[in-house]
Amino acid sequence: MDNSTEQRAAGLNRRDLLKAGLILAGGVLLPVACTVATPPSFASSASTKNRVSGRRKLGTLEVSSVGLGVQNMSRTYQTTVPSRTEMHHIIQTAYDHGVTLFDAAEAYGPFEVERILGEAAAPFRNKIVIETKFGWNIDQKTGQRLPGLNSRPDHIKVVVEGMLQRLRTDRIDLLYQHRVDPNVPIEDVVGAIQDLIKQGKVLHYGLSEPGLQTVRRAHAIHPVTAIQNEYSLLWRGPEAEVLPLCQELGIGFVAWSPLGVGFLTGALDAETRFAPGDIRGMESRFAPENLPNNLALVKLLQRWGNQKAATPGQLSLAWLLAQKPWIVPIPGTTQMAHMLENNGAEAVRFTADELQQFSAELAQIQVRGERLPPMVLQFSGVEAAAKQ
């Protein structure tokens, strides 16, 4: 592989203009049990275009209009391990710039991302919303990934105790079932969550990539605060049924992978190939036979971005924000420049006419390929077992 291809695979050609002149603090990888020193606040020197001032409602829960996904802060898509102190710095700087919603999961690491978030957010824990997720079958003592899913009520309660310790908190603001367990009635899952809510250990709950009837059954027992699904210009699947259901029931929507795992920022080109272990290499939408076709989306974003003085990534997030007032994207990153850029999406606005024109041009582009590998996609849209 030549140097230019290596850079494309690592995503190093992304937003070079915005990176220029921004010096990121370096640091060595710290042990898990560490004391976190809060770095100097960036707030005093922050440009308003990199701040998130808007607030949105997920059900009754108020959050910043753009959140931060911390999934890759223990291991990137390219399989590298980021500097722990720099990840702390990005989280803390995001807070300084108005971000109040931070997304994690026990499966990320496993466990390690929750620890990183807990360490970084300790100084301002009471001023933010932490959301995390349970549901994969993970040994709670060793962190070993076991086959399938596990949403048994007794297991959920053990998982939450571990989450509270790792996140250095006494409650989880928004707890999601990461994927619906087809072997456990959702009524039993919600019952366990209700017990945790009564104990003050969980404040709100949601579902990620759920089946529609499972959402209705859950909501009938205790209001669902949010659904978290993949949603972006690259994958618009929720528009058919999930978003209308959220509208009907008053449920918020959190968009994961709102930048199409980097694709919509212009980080990839027709020659991009992925490192072993990078999940994007197993997604057929990024296969060599599909990439050239799908890059029409990026060209559309670049053209509109030039008109609106915005980057493709900012335009992608602004489009999501324009869809519904209760949609909140959670772009993930391990780069300070990218986090600050993502925040700037809030300042990008579409007029009604612009949105209509953009939608008309978007409709001419047909994305080819699946959004996830089959072994992962099989867990989306699943319905829970019937309650006997």
Side-chain angles (χ1 to χ4, degrees), residues 212 216 227 236-248:
L212 299 179
R216 291 188 181 278
I227 290 176
R236 298 171 59 189
E239 294 175 351
E241 296 181 301
V242 176
L243 294 183
L245 181 63
C246 288
Q247 180 91 51
E248 174 191 343

Side-chain angles (χ1 to χ4, degrees), residues 12-49:
L12 295 179
N13 60 337
R14 184 185 183 212
R15 314 166 182 179
D16 292 331
L17 179 62
L18 283 157
K19 290 182 187 177
L22 182 61
I23 301 174
L24 305 184
V28 298
L29 187 66
L30 299 179
V32 172
C34 63
T35 300
V36 180
T38 304
S41 170
F42 271 37
S44 60
S45 62
S47 168
T48 55
K49 69 179 181 180

Side-chain angles (χ1 to χ4, degrees), residues 2-196:
D2 60 27
N3 289 338
S4 62
T5 304
E6 288 179 341
Q7 287 183 342
R8 285 190 292 267
L12 295 179
N13 60 337
R14 184 185 183 212
R15 314 166 182 179
D16 292 331
L17 179 62
L18 283 157
K19 290 182 187 177
L22 182 61
I23 301 174
L24 305 184
V28 298
L29 187 66
L30 299 179
V32 172
C34 63
T35 300
V36 180
T38 304
S41 170
F42 271 37
S44 60
S45 62
S47 168
T48 55
K49 69 179 181 180
N50 293 328
R51 292 189 61 83
V52 179
S53 58
R55 296 293 179 262
R56 294 193 163 200
K57 288 286 188 72
L58 302 173
T60 60
L61 181 63
E62 185 176 272
V63 300
S64 54
S65 59
V66 177
L68 177 64
V70 298
Q71 174 179 357
N72 290 331
M73 288 191 173
S74 68
R75 179 181 178 274
T76 69
Y77 286 121
Q78 295 84 15
T79 72
T80 59
V81 177
S83 158
R84 199 179 193 89
T85 49
E86 180 58 19
M87 298 307 98
H88 293 154
H89 195 187
I90 290 171
I91 291 168
Q92 291 160 342
T93 304
Y95 167 72
D96 283 343
H97 286 67
V99 175
T100 66
L101 179 63
F102 294 84
D103 179 83
E106 64 156 348
Y108 303 159
F111 302 160
E112 202 58 27
V113 161
E114 288 179 328
R115 293 190 182 106
I116 291 170
L117 178 57
E119 292 160 5
F124 46 86
R125 168 62 188 100
N126 293 330
K127 297 180 180 180
I128 63 172
V129 170
I130 290 177
E131 58 178 28
T132 192
K133 302 178 278 292
F134 71 89
W136 294 102
N137 193 13
I138 299 172
D139 187 295
Q140 295 301 295
K141 293 182 179 179
T142 67
Q144 180 182 359
R145 295 175 182 269
L146 304 173
L149 302 165
N150 189 345
S151 282
R152 297 192 312 272
D154 58 340
H155 181 74
I156 293 171
K157 294 177 180 180
V158 172
V159 168
V160 167
E161 292 301 323
M163 289 174 165
L164 295 174
Q165 292 180 27
R166 293 188 293 271
L167 290 166
R168 302 188 178 191
T169 187
D170 61 352
R171 82 281 183 194
I172 296 166
D173 300 297
L174 177 51
L175 178 69
Y176 293 96
Q177 184 184 36
H178 208 155
R179 292 294 188 274
V180 172
D181 189 334
N183 298 314
V184 180
I186 196 64
E187 292 80 5
D188 294 349
V189 172
V190 178
I193 292 174
Q194 283 182 311
D195 290 343
L196 292 164

Side-chain angles (χ1 to χ4, degrees), residues 13-18 232-234 258-260 262-268 294-320 331 338 341-346 348 350 358 362:
N13 60 337
R14 184 185 183 212
R15 314 166 182 179
D16 292 331
L17 179 62
L18 283 157
S232 72
L233 286 165
L234 185 61
L259 295 174
F263 177 80
L264 296 171
T265 69
L268 311 184
N294 296 343
L295 282 166
L297 266 178
V298 177
K299 293 178 182 177
L300 173 66
L301 289 167
Q302 289 170 337
R303 188 171 69 254
W304 275 79
N306 289 336
Q307 297 174 24
K308 301 184 74 62
T311 67
Q314 288 174 332
L315 204 70
S316 298
L317 295 173
W319 177 84
L320 278 172
H338 297 173
E341 178 193 337
N342 293 339
N343 289 353
E346 185 188 64
V348 180
F350 287 91
F358 185 86
L362 180 64

